[in-house]
Every structure is written in C-alpha cells, then in structure tokens.
Amino acid sequence: MKVTFERVIPNEKSSFRTIHNNSPISEFKWEYHYHPEIELVCVLSGSGTRHVGYHKSNYTNGDLVLIGSNIPHSGFGLNSIDPHEEIVLQFKQEILQFPEQEVEARSIKDLLELSKYGIKFHRKIKKAMIPKLRLILESEGYKRYLLLLEILFELSQSKDHELLNNEIMPYTIISKNKTRLENIFTFVEHNYDKEINIEDVAKLANLTLPAFCNFFKKATQITFTEFVNRYRINKACLLMAQDKSISECSYNCGFNNVTYFNRMFKKYTEKTPSEFMKNFSHNKVNVDLKVEEPKIKIGF
C-alpha cells in the first residue's frame, strides 16, 4: 500500500477541481494519500472502504464524506466492485474567503474546521446533494463557483452527519514515516490471510519489538494487533457481500478459529456475521468498524 502526496491541479479556467469517476475500478489506483485541498467525495452507489485519517470502515449504498486539508485518506473505490461511480470536488480553503461581517458564511467556516476530523453525511443529505453535484460537472465559470458555495452552505446547515475521527491526524505522521508505514501496510495487505508474527513485522520496520509497538500506536492510535484484526474484518465483510459462508470468510481472512472470528466481527461491526449477512441481503447495512480509542498526544 503506497502513501503518497497528491498534486491537485484545478480544472481549466476554474479555481477548483471536479472529478467524475465511472470507469472500471481496475483502472484507478486507490492509494492512501494526502493533499492541501479539502475534498468532498460522493459515491453515488455501491460499496467499498472509507479510510480517512485514523478511521477505517466499510460503506454500502454509496457515501458522502468531506475530508479536510492534508488529512491522509484512501480513494473510496478501495475494495469496491464494479460498477463504481463517484463525483469528487477538490478545493483550497483560500478560494472561500468571506468578509468578517458575512454572518451567513460562518457556518461554512465551521464546516471546514470540522472537516479536519472527516465528516460522513447520512443518506438523506447525500441524496439531496447528488443533483447539484451532477450539475456542477456541467457548469462553467462563476455559476460553477456559486454551486460550490451552495453545496457547502447546505452541508453546513445539516445536522445529519457524524465525525469519523476523535483526533486530527497530522499529515506529518505520514510524511515523516512514509517508507516505514508503506512497508508495514504492504506486508499486512499481502499476508492478512496467514498467521502474522509481530516480531517479523518489527524487523521489517527495523525496530525492536517494544519500539515498533510504541511507534505503531503513536502513528495510528491503535495497536498493530488491532490494525490487523480490523483489516481482516474489513476483508471478511467484502467476502460476505459476495455470498461467501462465515467459515470461508473466517479462514480466508487469517482467522483459524471461527469462534474468535465471530467475537472480533461483533466487536468491530456491532453485528454477528449472521446478522450482517441478513441485513446486507436486504440492503440495510452500513458497517462502521468502530471501537472506543484513548486519546493520545502524537509526537515524534
């Protein structure tokens, strides 16, 4: 898994960038990356994985997320299947300068401040935004800019949302430790279906075991064991969406004990595997792999 800085270039004759992704997912690289621009991602339909800052979870039936400046995140086509269609807006906060006396704009400023934590909007507001997002793709000039303001203002008025992170992830955590984190993420990506020895991963990171555990906890706010379990449960959810049995999902995702798999699945999804499969078949599920995490002061 690569961790990259993305250079965002505004569309021609525009102060910001719009993207319409509707090609096969195999044509895109859904890498973990960051950029100074604030990003609004609307997945029109389908399922996949949202990875924003410290937060990682699955979504179904589309998604609408606002991501703050320099917050590391993955493309929302990660772990999705075709067809996948999304509209993305990327803009710098500098293009949204308002006079101090502009009372109506304060809610937008508050929204952009909250975006540093990652904001997930619920289905009702996502549905309301889709026509405007489609229209902005076709618009030009000042009308296009006004549509951006209108979208942000409507989002700022909505209480139908939740924050994805309890703490802001400084992009310096990624940039300073890019190679080491890349190696760790890639190792898990290639070996999640096997038994993983944490001492081998510590050696890969060129750290002693205690130093590795301390480094990983500071960089991700969770232990390495919890990271691996979350990764495996994410993969299991995707396999279940493809009608794989519970035992198949368990063993194909590196769990050698179905009872332990069931316990971990319940911990991270708040559903049993059977409940997940039943709800998914009725298109009712929207799984967030959440646990209560202690607040940690980050520093290197």
Side-chain angles (χ1 to χ4, degrees), residues 157-215:
Q157 299 301 299
S158 172
K159 304 299 181 185
D160 192 22
H161 68 259
E162 62 185 90
L163 301 184
L164 295 178
N165 291 280
N166 294 324
E167 298 220 5
I168 299 169
M169 174 186 274
Y171 75 96
T172 50
I173 287 180
I174 297 297
S175 60
K176 287 181 179 178
N177 301 281
K178 178 180 174 181
T179 301
R180 181 172 282 165
L181 286 170
E182 278 184 8
N183 290 339
I184 296 168
F185 293 161
T186 300
F187 182 86
V188 174
E189 193 173 29
H190 292 165
N191 295 280
Y192 72 91
D193 57 338
K194 311 177 188 73
E195 183 176 350
I196 293 178
N197 187 327
I198 191 171
E199 292 185 355
D200 293 338
V201 185
K203 290 177 183 176
L204 179 69
N206 198 27
L207 294 169
T208 64
L209 183 56
F212 170 75
C213 292
N214 184 52
F215 159 77

Side-chain angles (χ1 to χ4, degrees), residues 76-106:
F76 279 54
L78 179 66
N79 294 324
S80 66
I81 56 176
D82 291 321
H84 177 92
E85 183 179 7
E86 64 181 32
I87 296 173
V88 180
L89 308 183
Q90 296 173 320
F91 57 94
K92 288 188 175 180
Q93 188 163 353
E94 292 80 62
I95 73 170
L96 303 173
Q97 296 299 323
F98 305 104
E100 286 297 324
Q101 62 270 28
E102 190 68 44
V103 177
E104 293 82 0
R106 288 179 185 171

Side-chain angles (χ1 to χ4, degrees), residues 134-176:
R134 288 197 181 279
L135 185 58
I136 203 171
L137 293 175
E138 304 168 357
S139 302
E140 297 179 350
Y142 203 58
K143 182 179 179 181
R144 172 185 164 96
Y145 179 74
L146 290 177
L147 274 169
L148 174 64
L149 293 181
E150 185 177 340
I151 289 167
L152 292 175
F153 181 74
E154 289 197 23
L155 291 177
S156 73
Q157 299 301 299
S158 172
K159 304 299 181 185
D160 192 22
H161 68 259
E162 62 185 90
L163 301 184
L164 295 178
N165 291 280
N166 294 324
E167 298 220 5
I168 299 169
M169 174 186 274
Y171 75 96
T172 50
I173 287 180
I174 297 297
S175 60
K176 287 181 179 178

Side-chain angles (χ1 to χ4, degrees), residues 104-123:
E104 293 82 0
R106 288 179 185 171
S107 63
I108 294 181
K109 294 178 181 178
D110 292 340
L111 176 75
L112 299 184
E113 190 65 27
L114 280 179
S115 72
K116 296 175 182 178
Y117 298 88
I119 307 173
K120 177 173 78 75
F121 295 92
H122 297 166
R123 299 187 189 283

